[in-house]
Amino acid sequence: MPYIQFLGAAGTVTGSKHLINTSSDSSGKQGFQALIDCGLFQGQKEWRERNWQDTPVPAREIDAVILTHAHLDHCGWIPRLVKEGFRGPIYATQPTIELCSVVLPDSGHLQEEDAAFYNKRKMSKHDPALPLYTLEEAQACMQYFRPVAVEQTVQLHPQLSFRFVHAAHILGSCMAEVTLETGTNARPTRLLFTGDIGRVRNSQIAPGKVVHSGPQEGETADVLVMESTYGNRQHPDTDPRPQLASLIRDTVKRGGSVIVPAFAVERTQKFVFMLKELMESGQIPRVPVYCDSPMAIKAVEIYMKHSEEFTEQAADLIKKYDSPVTWPGFTFAQTSEESKKINDSKFPSIIISSSGMATGGRILHHMAQRLPDPRNLVIFIGFQAPGTRGGIIKGGAKEIKIFGEFIPIRAQVAALEQFSDHADPPELLQWLHTFKNQPGVTYLVHGEPAASSQLRDLMKKELGWNVQIAEYMGKFVIGNL
Ligand SMILES: [Zn+2]
């Protein structure tokens, strides 16, 4: 019998990897094996260490990867999979492939930097410390990507086909509808893997959203594998702009700078457009804005190319202000020299840099330099996984370890939850109510345990569905439906 096995994002929000095997023959390589997403584990050491373990099935025996979107927790393990022998096609939408060609090499570069840092300080148990994969290896894996249009059916095997439908999460993001001929039923089995699900509502509540809100409605599924990142929290239904403007005004008034850790993809673009709007309307002073991410320019260029995914609001902003890269007062730092110059700027400024959870990247330099000064402000505009530096700082820690040293945190720390690109429970229910059938089983993935269990209880109560929480390495045999 065919089965699904959860190889990541089970019990945590990172490392998304769900294996479909068209046959559960115990000898292993009998069926066709497709991996839905191939993400990097981030956050606590216990999870990160899993990045170094082999897949439970040899990588070369995985026949294909179906990739929902270009966030690292969904695509960041692909170069490692290829390094371990995977040679099959990786299916994704065109914007996802373009974004991956930027984020994967950057991830390889960060892996190399980390290894070099540990070697310099002789801090690793391993001598020498090796990168999980290199920039070059990440570039090389791009040859396996194959573009798939939204709603185009791809037959991977006589028993297995899939198509992408919009997930409305970030540019290019999709859910994967998988059709499986089980042979036991006359009717094929429909599996729906949501990847990450975008906000269901638009405009005021999810302002500045670049891509269309609202995942594909009217779905059917026998097995639903759904994310639960925000399963126990609701996004505030207030406009974040007044609060953001007041936080920035206060910081500038006391001579401080604003530090914003943000994913270079989607979140940075959204935030930069909002700053521009606030500045043009006089709600915040015209201070220099530094977007310190080599990826950001490339990501902006990819965004500008894919106007088919813009919301009306994003289209209006782009028509009015054109590409952020050309705005006066906004500096996009490419080289590390340009990045270092930002450190020399004494007057108040706004610095946006990645990584979004401060797990690595240039944001660490800015944090190390500016966290000890109480005049400064750190604003979190994205989800901060427990155990990441972002999660620790947001949790109110008094000091944080950066580059092997403890840095005191005296700067003001704020968090705005409205920027999320994930649907919250009321939005998820709104979307689930559009389903044409009740899935035989729903597996919740991509959530901290408390988030997944609260969402499970809510779905049972409100919908009466059979909802389970996926366990790491757990198998679900599809014939059991
Ligand atoms: Zn995502």
Side-chain angles (χ1 to χ4, degrees):
M1 296 300 289
Y3 66 86
I4 301 172
Q5 189 175 17
F6 302 104
L7 307 183
T12 185
V13 287
T14 61
S16 270
K17 282 181 212 80
H18 314 301
L19 183 78
I20 305 172
N21 190 325
T22 57
S23 155
S24 70
D25 196 301
S26 54
S27 64
K29 182 61 188 161
Q30 295 281 324
F32 183 89
Q33 302 196 96
L35 198 57
I36 310 285
D37 287 342
C38 186
L40 204 60
F41 284 106
Q42 294 160 311
Q44 270 149 351
K45 202 171 173 198
E46 165 204 355
W47 293 109
R48 277 184 286 128
E49 279 174 350
R50 296 199 174 152
N51 287 326
W52 294 90
Q53 294 168 4
D54 295 342
T55 45
V57 286
R60 65 181 173 283
E61 291 185 7
I62 293 171
D63 299 287
V65 172
I66 300 169
L67 178 62
T68 61
H69 67 287
H71 274 150
L72 278 183
D73 56 338
H74 292 258
C75 69
W77 211 76
I78 287 174
R80 184 74 187 188
L81 189 75
V82 172
K83 194 172 176 167
E84 289 189 2
F86 171 81
R87 293 293 179 270
I90 302 163
Y91 296 100
T93 63
Q94 184 61 32
T96 296
I97 296 176
E98 290 172 25
L99 289 172
C100 281
S101 75
V102 175
V103 302
L104 292 179
D106 182 77
S107 169
H109 173 67
L110 288 180
Q111 304 283 351
E112 286 184 72
E113 271 189 351
D114 277 356
F117 174 78
Y118 283 112
N119 285 329
K120 207 166 126 194
R121 301 244 176 154
K122 303 221 178 307
M123 280 163 59
S124 172
K125 292 180 282 195
H126 310 283
D127 190 27
L130 297 170
L132 193 61
Y133 51 83
T134 64
L135 182 149
E136 219 167 283
E137 285 165 338
Q139 281 169 335
C141 80
M142 294 308 300
Q143 64 183 296
Y144 300 103
F145 280 76
R146 303 282 177 271
V148 175
V150 177
E151 295 185 10
Q152 173 196 343
T153 301
V154 182
Q155 193 78 41
L156 295 183
H157 178 263
Q159 270 181 277
L160 193 148
S161 65
F162 82 95
R163 61 171 210 151
F164 283 133
V165 294
H166 283 297
H169 169 59
I170 64 163
L171 188 80
S173 68
C174 279
M175 305 191 200
E177 289 178 0
V178 176
T179 304
L180 201 61
E181 306 286 345
T182 58
T184 52
N185 290 331
R187 190 174 68 83
T189 305
R190 165 69 66 86
L191 319 174
L192 180 63
F193 294 85
T194 66
D196 288 345
I197 305 170
R199 304 293 301 269
V200 173
R201 291 168 287 183
N202 205 341
S203 65
Q204 284 308 311
I205 302 166
K209 190 146 176 45
V210 181
V211 296
H212 284 299
S213 279
Q216 174 85 16
E217 296 189 345
E219 283 294 304
T220 54
D222 299 300
V223 182
L224 171 65
V225 177
M226 186 172 107
E227 73 132 325
S228 54
T229 314
Y230 276 82
N232 57 348
R233 279 161 300 165
Q234 238 175 281
H235 301 311
D237 56 2
T238 50
D239 185 342
R241 282 168 281 207
Q243 196 191 348
L244 175 64
S246 125
L247 282 164
I248 293 174
R249 280 196 308 266
D250 290 348
T251 307
V252 171
K253 220 179 274 170
R254 60 179 184 249
S257 286
V258 182
I259 321 289
V260 188
F263 292 113
V265 172
E266 183 90 14
R267 201 58 55 85
T268 293
Q269 286 75 23
K270 193 195 277 190
F271 191 73
V272 159
F273 268 104
M274 194 171 285
L275 286 180
K276 177 76 171 170
E277 247 192 315
L278 293 175
M279 236 175 236
E280 294 295 334
S281 61
Q283 295 179 69
I284 59 171
R286 285 187 189 273
V287 292
V289 176
Y290 297 102
C291 192
D292 188 18
S293 160
M295 265 199 293
I297 294 183
K298 291 179 193 157
V300 167
E301 280 162 2
I302 296 168
Y303 267 82
M304 302 302 281
K305 257 172 75 179
H306 292 282
S307 55
E308 75 278 5
E309 293 211 18
F310 292 168
T311 55
E312 240 174 74
Q313 195 186 8
D316 282 351
L317 286 172
I318 289 165
K319 209 166 135 196
K320 205 161 158 190
Y321 302 122
D322 201 16
S323 169
V325 179
T326 58
W327 295 343
F330 285 66
T331 306
F332 283 75
Q334 289 242 54
T335 64
S336 54
E337 272 60 47
E338 287 167 332
S339 173
K340 280 178 196 136
K341 264 192 210 156
I342 301 172
N343 283 347
D344 301 336
S345 70
K346 294 282 181 283
F347 43 86
S349 58
I350 301 169
I351 303 163
I352 309 152
S353 188
S354 54
S355 73
M357 300 190 216
T359 49
R362 291 181 179 180
I363 189 70
L364 296 185
H365 294 277
H366 301 298
M367 283 191 153
Q369 203 197 11
R370 292 172 205 262
L371 281 176
D373 189 335
R375 290 175 300 173
N376 295 330
L377 164 73
V378 181
I379 308 181
F380 291 105
I381 56 169
F383 179 77
Q384 303 299 314
T388 58
R389 284 194 194 83
I392 294 166
I393 298 170
K394 195 178 157 187
K398 294 279 170 264
E399 56 179 15
I400 188 80
K401 202 172 178 185
I402 299 177
F403 304 129
E405 278 170 38
F406 282 98
I407 308 288
I409 303 169
R410 298 192 197 96
Q412 184 189 355
V413 176
L416 294 173
E417 309 290 349
Q418 293 95 326
F419 288 86
S420 175
D421 293 313
H422 292 267
D424 67 5
E427 293 173 322
L428 288 172
L429 281 180
Q430 193 183 327
W431 174 62
L432 292 169
H433 273 298
T434 72
F435 270 54
K436 289 193 192 120
N437 76 327
Q438 177 173 332
V441 63
T442 297
Y443 273 97
L444 295 181
V445 294
H446 206 278
E448 294 302 322
S452 301
S453 56
Q454 204 166 315
L455 183 62
R456 174 199 57 198
D457 296 347
L458 182 74
M459 285 173 67
K460 280 183 169 176
K461 187 171 153 250
E462 296 289 325
L463 304 165
W465 289 12
N466 171 20
V467 186
Q468 311 285 332
I469 297 171
E471 278 175 31
Y472 181 59
M473 299 298 279
K475 266 188 195 179
F476 171 70
V477 178
I478 291 171
N480 290 351
L481 269 179

